[in-house]
Amino acid sequence: MESHSRLEPSQTIYDGELQSQMDLNLLPPSPAPPSKIKSPLPPRPPNPLKRKLAVDALLDNPASAVSDSGVKVIVRMRPLNNEEEEGDMIVQKVTGDSVSINGQTFTFDSVGNTDSTQLDVFQLIGVPLVENCLAGFNSSVFAYGQTGSGKTYTMWGPANALLEENLSSDQQGLTPRVLERLFSRINEEQIKHAEQQLKYQCRCSFLEIYNEQITDLLDPSQRNLQIREDVKSGVYVENLREEYVCTMKDVTQLLIKGLSNRRTGATSINAESSRSHSVFTCIVESRCKGKADGISRFKTSRINLVDLAGSERQKLTGAAGERLKEAGNINRSLSQLGNLINILAEVSQTGKQRHIPYRDSRLTFLLQDSLGGNAKLAMICAISPSQSCKSETFSTLRFAQRAKAIKNKAVVNEVMQDDVNHLREVIRQLRDELHRMKANGNTQADSTGDYSASWARRSLKY
Ligand SMILES: Nc1ncnc2c1ncn2[C@@H]1O[C@H](COP(=O)(O)OP(=O)(O)OP(=O)(O)O)[C@@H](O)[C@H]1O
């Protein structure tokens, strides 16, 4: 399969985020052994301070601060299944990056034919994702498509491919391949930069959104978890379990546990249809010391691997009862995602500001950084080649085309000890200033006329 990557080369900025002492202390001198702990902190997406400082950095150095990246979109066509016949095939791959259906041609970054392999997808999406992650970028992959089109197969592979004896199976999906590559690259980097004491640490969470409720797949007794947002942590899921991982064995155990807890059910199209959106997240933190200056640098990046529930026409799938209610919820949240993508595509194309309705659904609220924000995004759009899926395939290809128009703004999430020290010093000075003014009962400018108390208070919030 040909690669048509439009991901830009990694670029680095030092965005000077002030992380809390607690965050910095999360990194031990050497990788922590795998431990089953409740996360000491909620998942920590880039916070508003980081965004603010990233903008400042952009102003200082507009050429290199932000990677203004388009969404990478690949289409993967699954093989015909046992009920479908050769003559039913209405979709053809035309070139490495285009596909035709009923005489209409669509072009993406890459198109995988019915014989494309799990390795092909990994090389197109997984390899650059791991490199971006090590460079400090957040990265997300969404698998989108109608029920039975191959999203779950692509993202995880068949369940038995995760068993220890099958770990080298060519059926293995994108997620285990990404984590395996991540550990091997981390190992290489740590050896290569041993002099700079480069150390990495990874922790994972796994959740599903079912009927607009979030369940922790690593601890399914935790249902109806709430999404919170605050100035320090940004958007996070309260009480979501995170587990430290050091080896593939740790990861496969989490994947097996999480996947077996997912809500699945049979539809007439797919005997084991995922009835929820599932989100596997790996947070990668690193620290190292500069060779020349001895200054510590900390990087954090987040990988989100998202298997969306499949869109479906109830008439086609014969859904009834509970399945029908689920299908209604699935279709509603996918249509909210589609609506959001339309708006983001319009904003990217016209440059006009518009309200972005992230809060319309749990999925878009939780993954707002992946959609038009601080993350590199890849979409795998899964389609069926069969006549019976024609209208769903058209709908997926149109969705994929709109997604292609979105521009994300990914920044390297790096902070230097110098920045931390400097900001701590600024805070100390502002605190002193505030105390002095309070002691003097003065809320206006001080004797030098430099600061007012309200200004100082406002500054302390950041
Ligand atoms: N590229 C492929 N090669 C071989 N088999 C595939 C491929 N893609 C999908 N399949 C098979 O097709 C069936 C449906 O795939 P899968 O469960 O991944 O669909 P899905 O899009 O996740 O569906 P849903 O949205 O209903 O969960 C499975 O039996 C899967 O093994």
Side-chain angles (χ1 to χ4, degrees):
M1 194 191 287
E2 287 172 43
S3 165
H4 295 266
S5 168
R6 291 186 196 165
L7 288 182
E8 286 138 43
S10 306
Q11 295 167 320
T12 301
I13 60 159
Y14 302 134
D15 68 11
E17 180 196 15
L18 172 66
Q19 288 191 328
S20 69
Q21 186 69 45
M22 207 173 173
D23 293 343
L24 299 175
N25 287 343
L26 272 176
L27 282 165
S30 58
S35 60
K36 302 210 164 127
I37 57 150
K38 279 262 183 191
S39 163
L41 276 180
R44 181 161 39 84
N47 65 32
L49 169 64
K50 180 176 288 180
R51 283 186 210 129
K52 179 179 177 291
L53 291 170
V55 171
D56 292 345
L58 177 62
L59 293 174
D60 290 339
N61 186 6
S64 67
V66 176
S67 160
D68 192 0
S69 45
V71 175
K72 186 176 195 174
V73 179
I74 73 161
V75 166
R76 185 182 199 189
M77 184 158 46
R78 71 153 166 78
L80 290 166
N81 64 29
N82 291 340
E83 275 106 68
E84 296 162 339
E85 290 172 7
E86 217 41 55
D88 292 335
M89 244 178 114
I90 55 155
V91 188
Q92 282 88 33
K93 174 175 167 168
V94 184
T95 63
D97 60 7
S98 65
V99 66
S100 134
I101 172 169
N102 273 26
Q104 202 172 328
T105 302
F106 294 82
T107 303
F108 302 100
D109 290 292
S110 184
V111 170
N113 215 345
T114 49
D115 59 357
S116 74
T117 64
Q118 301 285 63
L119 181 62
D120 292 332
V121 176
F122 170 66
Q123 275 166 347
L124 271 171
I125 303 279
V127 172
L129 181 150
V130 170
E131 292 312 310
N132 284 327
C133 167
L134 294 178
F137 288 106
N138 297 331
S139 302
S140 295
V141 181
F142 284 50
Y144 180 94
Q146 84 171 106
T147 178
S149 57
K151 300 177 295 296
T152 301
Y153 178 84
T154 301
M155 292 306 283
W156 323 109
N160 62 8
L162 287 170
L163 300 175
E164 206 166 346
E165 61 272 24
N166 297 333
L167 274 183
S168 55
S169 158
D170 56 6
Q171 301 273 303
Q172 205 167 73
L174 183 65
T175 303
R177 284 172 194 266
V178 161
L179 272 293
E180 192 168 13
R181 173 73 160 217
L182 180 67
F183 289 133
S184 112
R185 287 287 294 111
I186 280 179
N187 213 19
E188 279 174 20
E189 289 293 301
Q190 286 184 165
I191 292 170
K192 193 165 143 199
H193 300 287
E195 230 180 285
Q196 287 141 276
Q197 298 164 37
L198 176 63
K199 291 289 171 209
Y200 281 90
Q201 162 173 295
C202 308
R203 55 204 156 95
C204 298
S205 63
F206 203 178
L207 63 83
E208 75 172 355
I209 305 174
Y210 174 75
N211 285 348
E212 278 302 281
Q213 290 198 350
I214 297 178
T215 299
D216 189 340
L217 288 175
L218 301 181
D219 179 5
S221 65
Q222 295 284 343
R223 282 161 182 249
N224 204 8
L225 297 179
Q226 297 304 308
I227 302 177
R228 304 275 181 222
E229 188 173 25
D230 65 38
V231 171
K232 182 169 166 280
S233 309
V235 177
Y236 63 94
V237 177
E238 191 175 50
N239 293 328
L240 184 69
R241 191 182 179 97
E242 286 183 346
E243 296 197 13
Y244 285 95
V245 289
C246 293
T247 63
M248 257 329 268
K249 202 170 169 196
D250 300 336
V251 171
T252 46
Q253 277 171 1
L254 292 189
L255 287 176
I256 290 170
K257 190 200 249 177
L259 291 172
S260 63
N261 287 327
R262 244 176 0 154
R263 236 76 62 118
T264 58
T267 65
S268 62
I269 283 195
N270 187 0
E272 217 186 315
S273 173
S274 317
R275 312 308 293 158
S276 61
H277 309 303
S278 48
V279 183
F280 182 83
T281 300
C282 180
I283 295 166
V284 180
E285 293 175 315
S286 71
R287 79 164 175 202
C288 73
K289 272 196 173 163
K291 234 190 226 168
D293 53 20
I295 293 170
S296 293
R297 292 170 166 82
F298 305 88
K299 273 190 208 164
T300 305
S301 47
R302 165 181 289 261
I303 299 175
N304 289 314
L305 297 155
V306 185
D307 179 14
L308 296 169
S311 60
E312 61 191 58
R313 273 164 214 271
Q314 278 116 35
K315 244 204 307 206
L316 202 67
T317 54
E322 199 52 26
R323 282 292 96 84
L324 189 63
K325 183 179 159 211
E326 285 167 357
N329 275 309
I330 292 169
N331 288 345
R332 191 170 320 110
S333 84
L334 288 173
S335 108
Q336 283 155 340
L337 174 66
N339 180 38
L340 191 105
I341 283 189
N342 286 344
I343 295 173
L344 288 171
E346 189 192 314
V347 169
S348 295
Q349 280 166 339
T350 64
K352 279 192 194 144
Q353 290 304 308
R354 278 196 59 180
H355 167 68
I356 317 282
Y358 287 115
R359 284 172 182 259
D360 276 5
S361 75
R362 294 275 196 285
L363 180 75
T364 53
F365 189 17
L366 182 63
L367 296 171
Q368 56 186 277
D369 258 336
S370 309
L371 299 160
N374 177 17
K376 301 223 174 210
L377 174 61
M379 289 260 182
I380 301 172
C381 293
I383 56 170
S384 147
S386 165
Q387 163 76 35
S388 61
C389 299
K390 185 173 110 185
S391 70
E392 288 289 341
T393 301
F394 262 114
S395 149
T396 299
L397 293 174
R398 287 199 197 98
F399 173 93
Q401 233 175 13
R402 289 191 301 271
K404 188 82 211 89
I406 297 176
K407 292 264 181 290
N408 274 16
K409 290 204 163 29
V411 298
V412 169
N413 302 307
E414 182 169 52
V415 58
M416 291 165 81
Q417 187 65 50
D418 247 15
D419 301 325
V420 176
N421 293 342
H422 169 70
L423 288 168
R424 278 199 189 117
E425 178 56 24
V426 170
I427 287 177
R428 194 191 58 73
Q429 285 173 8
L430 288 170
R431 267 203 193 113
D432 288 353
E433 193 70 40
L434 189 59
H435 287 150
R436 245 197 328 276
M437 282 192 272
K438 270 188 181 161
N440 294 341
N442 184 1
T443 54
Q444 297 301 311
D446 70 1
S447 54
T448 64
D450 274 350
Y451 305 115
S452 74
S454 63
W455 180 86
R457 249 185 239 112
R458 239 185 1 258
S459 304
L460 282 174
K461 279 192 190 161
Y462 290 102

